[in-house]
Short mmCIF file of all heavy atoms in Angstrom, two decimals:
data_model
loop_
_atom_site.label_atom_id
_atom_site.label_comp_id
_atom_site.label_asym_id
_atom_site.label_seq_id
_atom_site.Cartn_x
_atom_site.Cartn_y
_atom_site.Cartn_z
N ALA M 25 9.95 32.67 72.13
CA ALA M 25 11.08 31.69 72.09
C ALA M 25 11.72 31.84 70.64
O ALA M 25 11.07 32.01 69.66
CB ALA M 25 10.60 30.31 72.30
N LEU M 29 15.33 26.18 62.65
CA LEU M 29 14.71 25.34 61.65
C LEU M 29 15.42 24.12 61.30
O LEU M 29 14.93 23.20 60.78
CB LEU M 29 14.21 26.14 60.53
CG LEU M 29 13.27 27.31 60.72
CD1 LEU M 29 13.10 28.18 59.54
CD2 LEU M 29 11.96 26.79 61.34
N TRP M 30 16.77 24.10 61.58
CA TRP M 30 17.64 23.05 61.29
C TRP M 30 18.84 23.09 62.26
O TRP M 30 18.92 23.99 62.99
CB TRP M 30 18.08 22.99 59.82
CG TRP M 30 18.80 24.18 59.30
CD1 TRP M 30 20.10 24.56 59.51
CD2 TRP M 30 18.24 25.20 58.52
NE1 TRP M 30 20.42 25.73 58.91
CE2 TRP M 30 19.24 26.18 58.26
CE3 TRP M 30 16.93 25.59 58.01
CZ2 TRP M 30 19.04 27.36 57.55
CZ3 TRP M 30 16.76 26.65 57.29
CH2 TRP M 30 17.78 27.59 57.01
N VAL M 32 22.16 23.76 63.86
CA VAL M 32 23.01 24.96 63.76
C VAL M 32 24.44 24.79 64.35
O VAL M 32 24.64 23.83 65.13
CB VAL M 32 22.30 26.13 64.36
CG1 VAL M 32 21.07 26.49 63.59
CG2 VAL M 32 21.94 25.89 65.84
N GLY M 35 29.15 27.68 67.65
CA GLY M 35 29.82 28.97 67.50
C GLY M 35 28.99 30.14 66.90
O GLY M 35 28.97 31.26 67.41
N THR M 37 25.83 30.22 66.68
CA THR M 37 24.58 30.60 67.41
C THR M 37 25.00 31.38 68.68
O THR M 37 24.28 32.40 69.00
CB THR M 37 24.03 29.15 68.01
OG1 THR M 37 23.61 28.43 66.92
CG2 THR M 37 22.71 29.45 68.88
N TYR M 45 20.87 39.70 72.32
CA TYR M 45 20.74 40.22 73.63
C TYR M 45 21.35 41.63 73.71
O TYR M 45 20.78 42.47 74.49
CB TYR M 45 21.37 39.34 74.75
CG TYR M 45 20.39 38.18 75.02
CD1 TYR M 45 20.65 36.93 74.70
CD2 TYR M 45 19.19 38.38 75.70
CE1 TYR M 45 19.79 35.87 74.88
CE2 TYR M 45 18.31 37.34 76.01
CZ TYR M 45 18.66 36.16 75.60
OH TYR M 45 17.75 35.08 75.83
N LEU M 48 18.49 43.61 72.29
CA LEU M 48 17.41 43.61 73.28
C LEU M 48 17.62 44.47 74.35
O LEU M 48 16.78 45.31 74.76
CB LEU M 48 17.19 42.13 73.69
CG LEU M 48 15.84 41.80 74.37
CD1 LEU M 48 14.67 42.02 73.41
CD2 LEU M 48 15.88 40.35 74.90
N ASN M 50 19.36 47.13 74.28
CA ASN M 50 19.39 48.47 73.80
C ASN M 50 17.93 49.01 73.43
O ASN M 50 17.80 50.04 72.69
CB ASN M 50 20.26 48.60 72.54
CG ASN M 50 21.71 48.87 73.08
OD1 ASN M 50 21.97 49.50 74.07
ND2 ASN M 50 22.70 48.20 72.39
N ALA M 57 15.18 42.81 67.67
CA ALA M 57 16.43 42.41 68.16
C ALA M 57 16.96 41.19 67.32
O ALA M 57 18.10 41.20 66.96
CB ALA M 57 16.40 42.05 69.63
N LEU M 58 16.08 40.25 67.04
CA LEU M 58 16.48 39.12 66.18
C LEU M 58 16.92 39.65 64.76
O LEU M 58 17.95 39.29 64.20
CB LEU M 58 15.40 38.09 66.10
CG LEU M 58 15.80 36.82 65.15
CD1 LEU M 58 17.10 36.13 65.57
CD2 LEU M 58 14.56 35.91 65.22
N GLN M 62 20.66 39.31 63.11
CA GLN M 62 20.89 38.67 61.84
C GLN M 62 21.62 39.68 60.95
O GLN M 62 22.57 39.28 60.19
CB GLN M 62 19.60 38.24 61.25
CG GLN M 62 18.96 37.04 62.03
CD GLN M 62 17.61 36.65 61.64
OE1 GLN M 62 16.66 37.46 61.43
NE2 GLN M 62 17.43 35.36 61.56
N ALA M 64 23.63 42.07 61.80
CA ALA M 64 24.94 42.26 62.32
C ALA M 64 25.78 41.12 61.81
O ALA M 64 26.99 41.32 61.32
CB ALA M 64 24.95 42.25 63.79
N LEU M 65 25.32 39.91 61.77
CA LEU M 65 26.07 38.74 61.19
C LEU M 65 26.32 38.94 59.63
O LEU M 65 27.42 38.72 59.13
CB LEU M 65 25.40 37.44 61.47
CG LEU M 65 25.88 36.79 62.78
CD1 LEU M 65 25.55 37.47 63.97
CD2 LEU M 65 25.41 35.37 62.87
N SER M 68 28.56 42.08 59.24
CA SER M 68 29.68 42.19 60.19
C SER M 68 29.71 43.61 60.73
O SER M 68 30.93 44.21 61.01
CB SER M 68 31.01 41.85 59.47
OG SER M 68 30.98 40.53 59.08
N ASP M 69 28.62 44.21 61.00
CA ASP M 69 28.49 45.59 61.55
C ASP M 69 27.70 45.63 62.85
O ASP M 69 26.41 45.63 62.73
CB ASP M 69 27.94 46.50 60.50
CG ASP M 69 27.79 47.96 60.94
OD1 ASP M 69 28.28 48.35 62.06
OD2 ASP M 69 27.26 48.70 60.17
N VAL M 72 24.55 48.11 64.07
CA VAL M 72 23.07 48.00 63.95
C VAL M 72 22.41 47.57 65.23
O VAL M 72 21.13 47.62 65.35
CB VAL M 72 22.68 47.02 62.81
CG1 VAL M 72 23.34 47.47 61.49
CG2 VAL M 72 23.15 45.60 63.09
N ASN M 79 24.37 54.81 72.88
CA ASN M 79 25.35 54.24 71.96
C ASN M 79 26.45 53.49 72.79
O ASN M 79 27.65 53.81 72.58
CB ASN M 79 25.88 55.09 70.99
CG ASN M 79 24.78 55.71 70.02
OD1 ASN M 79 23.88 54.98 69.73
ND2 ASN M 79 24.91 56.93 69.66
N ASP M 86 33.27 36.42 68.17
CA ASP M 86 33.03 35.08 67.55
C ASP M 86 33.69 34.01 68.46
O ASP M 86 34.94 34.06 68.56
CB ASP M 86 33.62 35.07 66.18
CG ASP M 86 33.39 33.68 65.46
OD1 ASP M 86 33.08 32.71 66.08
OD2 ASP M 86 33.58 33.74 64.26
N ARG M 88 34.20 30.99 68.14
CA ARG M 88 34.98 29.94 67.34
C ARG M 88 36.39 30.52 67.29
O ARG M 88 37.31 29.78 67.32
CB ARG M 88 34.37 29.64 66.01
CG ARG M 88 32.99 29.09 66.11
CD ARG M 88 32.33 28.99 64.77
NE ARG M 88 32.23 30.26 64.20
CZ ARG M 88 32.65 30.57 62.97
NH1 ARG M 88 33.21 29.69 62.13
NH2 ARG M 88 32.49 31.88 62.42
N THR M 94 33.58 41.89 63.43
CA THR M 94 33.98 42.52 62.24
C THR M 94 35.06 41.87 61.47
O THR M 94 35.34 42.05 60.41
CB THR M 94 34.43 43.99 62.54
OG1 THR M 94 35.48 43.88 63.48
CG2 THR M 94 33.35 44.86 62.99
N ALA M 100 28.52 35.77 57.65
CA ALA M 100 27.46 36.38 56.75
C ALA M 100 26.75 35.17 56.00
O ALA M 100 25.61 35.48 55.45
CB ALA M 100 28.13 37.33 55.75
N TYR M 104 24.52 30.56 59.26
CA TYR M 104 24.78 30.98 60.61
C TYR M 104 23.54 31.82 61.09
O TYR M 104 23.33 31.89 62.32
CB TYR M 104 26.04 31.82 60.64
CG TYR M 104 27.20 30.87 60.58
CD1 TYR M 104 27.88 30.97 59.31
CD2 TYR M 104 27.68 30.06 61.47
CE1 TYR M 104 28.96 30.17 59.03
CE2 TYR M 104 28.73 29.23 61.30
CZ TYR M 104 29.37 29.31 60.00
OH TYR M 104 30.60 28.52 59.90
N LEU M 110 11.43 33.58 65.55
CA LEU M 110 10.87 33.96 66.78
C LEU M 110 9.49 33.41 66.88
O LEU M 110 8.60 33.61 65.93
CB LEU M 110 10.91 35.48 67.00
CG LEU M 110 10.22 35.96 68.27
CD1 LEU M 110 11.04 35.61 69.51
CD2 LEU M 110 10.06 37.54 68.28
N LEU M 115 7.02 41.24 71.16
CA LEU M 115 7.13 42.59 71.83
C LEU M 115 8.27 42.64 72.82
O LEU M 115 8.61 41.80 73.36
CB LEU M 115 5.81 42.94 72.54
CG LEU M 115 4.60 43.00 71.66
CD1 LEU M 115 3.29 43.32 72.42
CD2 LEU M 115 4.76 44.11 70.55
#
Side-chain angles (χ1 to χ4, degrees):
L29 299 173
W30 56 80
V32 294
T37 299
Y45 281 106
L48 198 62
N50 278 323
L58 178 58
Q62 290 170 320
L65 266 66
S68 295
D69 180 7
V72 300
N79 293 329
D86 181 345
R88 297 172 302 128
T94 55
Y104 295 103
L110 178 66
L115 297 176

